[in-house]
Amino acid sequence: MEQKKWHQMGLSELQEALDCSPDGGLHATEAEKRLETQGYNELTEGARLSPIVLFLNQFKDFMVLILMGATLISGLLGEYLDAITIVAIIVINAVLGFIQEFRAERSLRALKALSAPSAKVMRGGQLLTVAAKELVAGDMVVLESGDRVPADIRLMEASSLYTEESALTGESVPVGKHAGTIQEEELPLGDQRNLAFMGTMVTRGTAKGVVVRTGMRTEMGKIAGLIQETEAMETPLQHRLEQLGKLLILVAIGLTIMVVVAGILHGQPTYGMFLAGVSLAVAAIPEGLPAIVTIALALGVQRMIKRKAIVRKLPSVETLGCASVICSDKTGTLTQNKMTVTDIWLSGRALKVSGEGYAPEGDITENGRPVDSKHDLPLKRLLQISALCNNAQLVRNEAEGAKRRKRGETVPEEWSLKGDPTEGALAVLAAKLGSSAKSLEMLYSRVKEFPFDSERKRMSVVVSHQGGRLLCTKGAPDILLEHCSYVLWDGKVLPFTASMKRKCREAAESMAHSALRVLGFAYRDLRSADSCESEQEAERALVFVGLAGMIDPPRREVKDAIVKCRRAGIKTVMITGDHGLTAEAIAANLGIIPRGGRSISGQQLEQMSDEQLEREADDIYVYSRVSPQHKLRIVKALQRRGHVVAMTGDGVNDAPAIKASDIGIAMGITGTDVSKEASALVLSDDNFSTIVAAIEEGRGIYENIRKFIRYLLASNVGEILVMFLAMMAGLPLPLVPIQILWVNLVTDGLPAMALGVDQSEKDLMQQQPRPAKENIFARRLGWKIVSRGILIGICTLGAFWITLKEGAGDAESLTRAQTVAFTTLVMAQLIHVFDCRSSRSIFHRNPLQNKYLVLAVLSSLLLMLGVIYVEAMQPIFKTVPIGFREWCLVFVAAGIPTFLMGIGSVLGKPSGKNRKTKWPIGPQTVSK
Ligand code: ATP
């Protein structure tokens, strides 16, 4: 008999076909075996650039081709020494270029690997998170809202599961899924409702299922070739620099032609001038610029990873430096997401809960006296709902404790949590009084779940018990109360009167005032006629039981991070699904709301028009009880006000806002795959201060790019000018071609790269954010390039001229003058490189701070000394050894550009400090 299709199979047939166990999943060793035969669960990638190709690509560069032409001509003219030296320089250049690009490419690949997807799978009876590529057919996988489906999965259980399959079927509306069997044999993909397909997204609900196909055998695999994503990894700055590079080529070639023509007209030999022209063009074009920019970006990104921020899209590194508003979630990002229930409110009674962390140890007291939970009906009910309407698991870390106990240490039992911390806190509460989920599992079996999501702000389960069914619901009190018609008051179920509801609300508000996160609890006994197919049918006419308030302490480091933001001209906005009063209490504690700052709720937001929101957005610091779609409106309003907005999110519905923001940020620990994929930055510790660290790095990277652009271009202006002025003045060539190429090599390579990894200036985070459209040459960078370049050119020519005039007018004295010019040019650049580190002057920074730069400069210096003093090098580089007098001249001429301008900066007004903080700094009060 032909094997049935996956969607036609029942549970036992699936088990048999795939040799798997739905409860415990595959054993780890079995999974390993299958991985060997089935291969990784991956879609094969397009070909990667091999290192050899990358190396050979270096020779495709336009300038290298010109140089090769020059080599050929020198060779043909019999100038073999010139030819060999040029070839050597080309090869060294190519090796340097290769190293730069190889490093850049490798770090980009490492970044991609960091954001590789994972899957929740049962292995050997335990729920584990493994890399999605390690899944095999027969694995039992758990799916939750926000997950990207990791393989083709036949569902075995599904609660309100919806997946978005547009990549596969073109259907843009999420489709409902179920775990039943479908009889028809031939079904289009869209109708195979009991299968979840690799690469599609879970938009709602939860499910369990078995992997039936992996890797290229999946439906996505079949069309993988068509959907290979090619993500633009070039940043706007890289793009602009490429344009600039093209312009510079034209300018350099134009000027070079002028130099060559002027030289020939003044009687210089044609071949010499041709070679000088080619060398000058090569030196004047900053061909290393794009690679160094990539390296600065890639190394910066690696530094960010160390600070727990993973960049998914390279362009965002640049945008990070421009961020002027951070919209942050509260729970887990600003707070620790370590919840502990401290207060309970039951129909007019206020109870206190003791105990800390996840250990189920502590008491419940009322007016200081312990409460007997066994005989307190409302409390029993609340604990029962806490335990049943809960997906979190408390785990006792026995192994570690046992080891330490063996060593004779007395250690308390250690507990940890698997699942949502809010539910964890409730599981702990229930366990403190003996109502753990495990003990209730025997009595109640779950029939159905209506999962929590931040839109509904509640969760319900239906459980069966002794032939009856019970609905348990928990959620945000203000929302839950709307679904309650009865209340459990003093142990009796009574109609829920308006005054009772008011009392409940007041109790919830008073808890929220003390920064507690508040949840309400309700239930309904379902009669056999009551349908609970949909949430609407189930979650109505509920009996309200009470409230629980839990603390979620703010993260300690966040307060300082917010002060830092404010000094850096970055506004922090809290956007939370939590109650307004809870949000305000925490915002006040963290110093988010300045005097006059406002807090509004999602409801108020809904009543505002887009225009009104745009007008008022600058004054609003807290948005509470918002739904994910509100986030999108907030982002857009802030953007219309000209802000560059960073927005965090974790849920599946946050993706549109994350995408629309300038820097979308997802949570590495609690975030869904959907939010991560929409984001530009992932916080591996979910921490707000990591965003601030990333912004600081972003600003630093941009400033470093400006530093080496300044350095490279000023050097090039100097090089062209010295040749140009000499030719115009009818002087001999101040630099021979090989010297020009050498200057290019020793100054453009290592020192420029070292600038790319320079430390930031101290006041980096005390300046206003840079406008997004700011020109790279803004803040007087253009002026600095031109002024330093001109001075370098003039001083080098001056040194050349003085030495030439002092000489006897013979060939030896010309070579001496050329050696002095050569040394002056190199030294001027090696001094100027330290000046480039500061936006003010060389005197404002410790020159020894950047060790890479010191090493790079020393090695360039050594190479240059070698070229002058090693006898074998002298004929190649046309140099002679120079003495003390000449060195004095070299130092004076090389130092003038930097020190003269430095003294000017010290005496004049400081530049680059003109961006003042815009957001108010002051004591905290809230207005509404
Ligand atoms: P943030 O957006 O800052 O992360 P949040 O985590 O407080 O905010 P949500 O997770 O959307 O926001 O929660 C909103 C409200 O829903 C909470 O205030 C709480 O009352 C309720 N709630 C939270 N988690 C659950 C849950 N697992 N089950 C039922 N209700 C919940």
Side-chain angles (χ1 to χ4, degrees):
M1 197 186 82
E2 202 183 306
Q3 202 198 16
K4 281 184 180 173
K5 297 255 162 73
W6 295 118
H7 62 263
Q8 295 176 298
M9 289 188 192
L11 211 66
S12 54
E13 287 165 299
L14 282 167
Q15 248 170 287
E16 199 179 318
L18 294 162
D19 189 15
C20 63
S21 136
D23 300 324
L26 295 177
H27 207 274
T29 44
E30 173 63 20
E32 247 171 63
K33 245 194 251 162
R34 291 193 189 188
L35 193 61
E36 260 172 44
T37 51
Q38 297 173 6
Y40 279 124
N41 172 35
E42 300 179 298
L43 303 182
T44 40
E45 262 185 66
R48 254 181 222 147
L49 237 47
S50 78
I52 297 175
V53 178
L54 203 64
F55 181 70
L56 291 180
N57 272 353
Q58 305 300 319
F59 296 94
K60 277 207 241 151
D61 190 84
F62 175 61
M63 288 331 293
V64 174
L65 290 181
I66 291 192
L67 267 181
M68 289 213 235
T71 317
L72 194 71
I73 293 173
S74 333
L76 290 178
L77 292 176
E79 302 281 345
Y80 299 122
L81 202 57
D82 276 1
I84 293 169
T85 318
I86 299 176
V87 167
I89 286 181
I90 293 176
V91 173
I92 295 175
N93 237 332
V95 170
L96 277 181
F98 167 76
I99 294 174
Q100 289 174 348
E101 281 186 28
F102 187 71
R103 279 197 79 160
E105 153 121 3
R106 212 179 43 186
S107 25
L108 292 183
R109 222 180 310 139
L111 285 186
K112 269 195 163 174
L114 269 177
S115 45
S118 59
K120 294 180 271 299
V121 61
M122 290 294 291
R123 289 263 174 91
Q126 274 194 319
L127 187 63
L128 307 174
T129 302
V130 301
K133 68 175 189 177
E134 286 170 16
L135 287 187
V136 290
D139 261 331
M140 292 299 303
V141 173
V142 175
L143 295 175
E144 283 174 12
S145 158
D147 286 350
R148 190 175 268 284
V149 179
D152 282 1
I153 291 164
R154 169 68 166 82
L155 302 171
M156 291 182 155
E157 283 170 32
S159 292
S160 314
L161 187 76
Y162 284 80
T163 62
E164 200 267 316
E165 302 185 335
S166 59
L168 211 53
T169 61
E171 173 64 58
S172 58
V173 185
V175 287
K177 295 276 172 177
H178 61 79
T181 314
I182 306 175
Q183 293 309 329
E184 286 107 296
E185 192 184 336
E186 289 308 322
L187 271 184
L189 287 183
D191 290 341
Q192 296 180 14
R193 296 292 179 98
N194 53 12
L195 279 164
F197 299 106
M198 180 189 211
T200 59
M201 296 287 186
V202 181
T203 55
R204 264 198 74 186
T206 53
K208 251 189 202 165
V210 60
V211 173
V212 292
R213 287 180 294 246
T214 56
M216 294 305 279
R217 290 175 292 270
T218 59
E219 293 300 333
M220 199 54 107
K222 288 184 195 158
I223 56 164
L226 304 176
I227 51 137
Q228 291 264 315
E229 280 172 66
T230 47
E231 218 169 291
M233 284 306 247
E234 194 182 60
T235 77
L237 179 64
Q238 279 176 306
H239 183 70
R240 264 178 302 172
L241 285 180
E242 211 171 277
Q243 310 285 81
L244 176 74
K246 283 185 187 145
L247 181 74
L248 287 178
I249 289 184
L250 289 182
V251 173
I253 291 179
L255 285 173
T256 306
I257 291 173
M258 281 167 69
V259 171
V260 173
V261 171
I264 294 173
L265 288 181
H266 282 94
Q268 296 286 339
T270 312
Y271 168 70
M273 273 327 286
F274 160 76
L275 218 51
V278 170
S279 315
L280 191 57
V282 171
I285 292 166
E287 72 283 353
L289 199 59
I292 300 180
V293 172
T294 311
I295 295 223
L297 286 167
L299 291 182
V301 163
Q302 262 154 20
R303 276 200 307 273
M304 284 192 198
I305 293 174
K306 283 202 192 113
R307 296 177 80 172
K308 308 251 164 45
I310 299 164
V311 174
R312 291 192 65 253
K313 296 178 185 155
L314 205 51
S316 63
V317 175
E318 246 176 87
T319 328
L320 268 172
C322 311
S324 58
V325 179
I326 308 175
C327 294
S328 173
D329 279 345
K330 171 179 72 67
T331 312
T333 313
L334 295 168
T335 65
Q336 296 180 12
N337 213 3
K338 283 202 183 119
M339 317 246 182
T340 315
V341 176
T342 57
D343 291 69
I344 293 178
W345 187 85
L346 296 163
S347 45
R349 296 161 56 200
L351 315 182
K352 286 276 172 206
V353 185
S354 67
E356 262 180 35
Y358 295 128
E361 291 145 13
D363 302 310
I364 299 186
T365 52
E366 186 173 2
N367 301 321
R369 276 192 299 278
V371 181
D372 175 11
S373 65
K374 293 218 169 52
H375 301 103
D376 191 321
L377 179 66
L379 180 59
K380 241 169 97 178
R381 258 292 138 92
L382 188 135
L383 296 176
Q384 185 189 32
I385 302 169
S386 296
L388 291 174
C389 187
N390 199 318
N391 289 323
Q393 260 182 304
L394 279 184
V395 190
R396 187 189 284 165
N397 307 337
E398 278 176 288
E400 181 58 21
K403 247 191 263 163
R404 289 176 57 189
R405 247 171 252 131
K406 229 176 172 181
R407 276 186 250 135
E409 295 173 44
T410 39
V411 276
E413 279 186 314
E414 282 185 38
W415 293 80
S416 62
L417 167 75
K418 273 192 181 166
D420 172 26
T422 305
E423 297 190 348
L426 295 173
V428 173
L429 172 71
K432 277 179 184 170
L433 293 154
S435 302
S436 69
K438 276 239 158 63
S439 62
L440 291 171
E441 245 169 42
M442 324 261 200
L443 306 170
Y444 299 85
S445 61
R446 192 183 283 191
V447 180
K448 202 167 180 63
E449 176 186 342
F450 299 107
F452 168 80
D453 73 38
S454 34
E455 200 105 24
R456 283 165 33 81
K457 297 188 172 54
R458 61 185 185 277
M459 164 186 175
S460 301
V461 294
V462 178
V463 289
S464 70
H465 169 58
Q466 292 174 350
R469 287 177 307 155
L470 176 72
L471 175 93
C472 300
T473 307
K474 69 178 196 314
D478 33 343
I479 313 268
L480 191 71
L481 284 174
E482 288 167 20
H483 298 260
C484 295
S485 313
Y486 305 94
V487 62
L488 189 61
W489 200 278
D490 284 339
K492 288 188 272 303
V493 176
L494 304 175
F496 213 170
T497 60
S499 79
M500 284 173 174
K501 270 197 183 171
R502 204 187 53 240
K503 281 192 181 135
C504 293
R505 275 203 190 95
E506 283 168 2
E509 280 176 13
S510 121
M511 282 189 194
H513 241 309
S514 341
L516 295 182
R517 178 180 180 81
V518 193
L519 259 80
F521 299 81
Y523 73 96
R524 179 156 75 103
D525 279 312
L526 297 169
R527 282 163 304 180
S528 49
D530 286 335
S531 158
C532 59
E533 270 316 298
S534 68
E535 330 167 337
Q536 288 84 356
E537 284 171 319
E539 294 170 340
R540 56 176 194 86
L542 304 178
V543 182
F544 184 79
V545 178
L547 304 166
M550 46 189 87
I551 47 161
D552 178 15
R555 285 179 182 270
R556 238 177 280 131
E557 57 284 22
V558 164
K559 218 171 179 167
D560 289 340
I562 288 172
V563 172
K564 201 168 185 178
C565 277
R566 209 171 286 157
R567 292 214 179 102
I570 303 164
K571 174 184 174 180
T572 309
V573 177
M574 178 194 277
I575 302 185
T576 174
D578 220 336
H579 194 282
L581 292 172
T582 313
E584 281 160 23
I586 293 178
N589 183 323
L590 288 173
I592 287 181
I593 314 184
R595 178 171 290 146
R598 290 172 57 199
S599 151
I600 69 165
S601 69
Q603 223 173 2
Q604 287 167 300
L605 179 67
E606 233 146 60
Q607 277 147 21
M608 287 167 112
S609 66
D610 284 346
E611 290 71 33
Q612 192 185 357
L613 180 61
E614 186 187 329
R615 271 198 311 277
E616 299 180 15
D618 275 351
D619 298 329
I620 305 173
Y621 287 76
V622 175
Y623 295 87
S624 59
R625 277 285 187 257
V626 290
S627 299
Q629 71 272 17
H630 292 141
K631 286 187 167 181
L632 189 60
R633 283 190 64 200
I634 298 169
V635 167
K636 294 209 160 142
L638 286 166
Q639 283 175 331
R640 279 197 301 272
R641 287 206 63 85
H643 292 298
V644 174
V645 186
M647 164 70 89
T648 71
D650 46 15
V652 57
N653 303 336
D654 290 336
I658 292 183
K659 253 193 198 144
S661 67
D662 300 280
I663 307 150
I665 303 172
M667 301 298 139
I669 305 171
T670 56
T672 53
D673 292 349
V674 180
S675 61
K676 285 182 199 164
E677 281 170 29
S679 69
L681 190 75
V682 177
L683 309 179
S684 59
D685 60 353
D686 290 11
N687 192 339
F688 176 84
S689 26
T690 304
I691 307 176
V692 185
I695 290 179
E696 191 170 359
E697 287 292 347
R699 286 188 176 192
I701 291 172
Y702 186 81
E703 288 310 318
N704 282 355
I705 291 177
R706 275 170 51 98
K707 286 176 197 171
F708 61 71
I709 286 181
R710 168 181 166 189
Y711 170 66
L712 288 180
L713 295 191
S715 302
N716 292 352
V717 169
E719 286 159 23
I720 293 194
L721 203 72
V722 68
M723 296 292 281
F724 184 70
L725 291 180
M727 292 304 102
M728 287 302 166
L731 293 172
L733 274 182
L735 299 164
V736 298
I738 215 72
Q739 291 169 347
I740 301 176
L741 289 178
W742 185 251
V743 171
N744 188 38
L745 196 70
V746 294
T747 57
D748 279 15
L750 294 178
M753 266 165 83
L755 272 185
V757 292
D758 198 25
Q759 294 88 348
S760 303
E761 286 191 81
K762 270 204 212 89
D763 61 354
L764 187 73
M765 287 301 271
Q766 275 150 37
Q767 296 176 20
Q768 276 283 303
R770 148 176 70 86
K773 293 212 173 86
E774 185 190 271
N775 188 307
I776 185 86
F777 297 113
R779 284 178 279 136
R780 310 193 351 137
L781 194 79
W783 156 248
K784 281 180 184 155
I785 291 172
V786 174
S787 58
R788 270 49 161 199
I790 289 178
L791 278 177
I792 290 175
I794 291 177
C795 291
T796 306
L797 191 67
F800 172 69
W801 186 70
I802 291 172
T803 321
L804 195 66
K805 245 186 52 181
E806 281 178 353
D810 56 354
E812 210 274 336
S813 61
L814 174 60
T815 309
R816 179 167 300 278
Q818 281 170 335
T819 307
V820 167
F822 172 50
T823 318
T824 307
L825 190 59
V826 172
M827 290 305 296
Q829 296 187 10
L830 294 185
I831 294 173
H832 179 227
V833 75
F834 288 101
D835 188 22
C836 294
R837 297 184 62 226
S838 169
S839 56
R840 275 161 284 175
S841 81
I842 195 167
F843 306 119
H844 286 91
R845 298 204 70 181
N846 171 4
L848 301 179
Q849 190 187 18
N850 183 344
K851 293 194 182 61
Y852 298 109
L853 187 62
V854 175
L855 281 179
V857 167
L858 280 180
S859 57
S860 296
L861 205 62
L862 272 179
L863 283 174
M864 210 204 48
L865 291 179
V867 162
I868 299 175
Y869 292 105
V870 175
E871 250 171 63
M873 292 289 157
Q874 290 161 358
I876 301 177
F877 289 92
K878 321 265 187 313
T879 52
V880 289
I882 52 173
F884 180 72
R885 248 178 66 85
E886 279 119 351
W887 270 109
C888 290
L889 179 62
V890 165
F891 271 113
V892 170
I896 284 177
T898 294
F899 289 105
L900 199 67
M901 298 311 279
I903 290 166
S905 301
V906 172
L907 298 179
K909 79 169 171 34
S911 64
K913 289 276 288 170
N914 46 353
R915 294 179 287 159
K916 246 180 64 204
T917 302
K918 195 162 121 207
W919 307 110
I921 304 174
Q924 324 298 314
T925 50
V926 192
S927 65
K928 296 207 185 169

